[in-house]
Amino acid sequence: NQGIPTYEYTPTQIKQRVANYGASSKEQIQEMVRLQLGLAQIPQPNDAADALAVALCHLSEIHLSNLLAKQK
């Protein structure tokens, strides 16, 4: 109602963007989140790591969309 955009990503899309492999395990995704964010430990609880993976996926998608828009 407020005009705020929403986005949806499948688990495979998130895995592909975060780990470059759509069939990555939960542990692989958690480790990639840790590495990409420069963290000493994997974020806990697991839901926090999942949320960060979604955020990283979204940032990647937006960056790609912006690059493609500039090519037009």
Side-chain angles (χ1 to χ4, degrees):
N1 292 340
Q2 300 299 316
I4 299 170
T6 59
Y7 301 88
E8 293 183 30
Y9 302 105
T10 66
T12 302
Q13 287 175 306
I14 295 167
K15 292 173 182 181
Q16 183 66 43
R17 287 282 176 235
V18 174
N20 292 324
Y21 181 58
S24 298
S25 69
K26 188 170 205 60
E27 292 78 16
Q28 288 171 318
I29 296 300
Q30 290 172 338
E31 180 64 11
M32 289 304 295
V33 166
R34 185 189 74 74
L35 290 171
Q36 289 183 32
L37 296 177
L39 303 173
Q41 298 177 1
I42 291 172
Q44 293 297 322
N46 289 341
D47 291 344
D50 292 346
L52 290 169
V54 174
L56 289 170
C57 173
H58 181 68
L59 288 172
S60 177
E61 286 289 326
I62 293 298
H63 180 69
L64 180 60
S65 294
N66 288 339
L67 289 175
L68 292 174
K70 288 180 183 178
Q71 290 183 355
K72 291 182 179 180

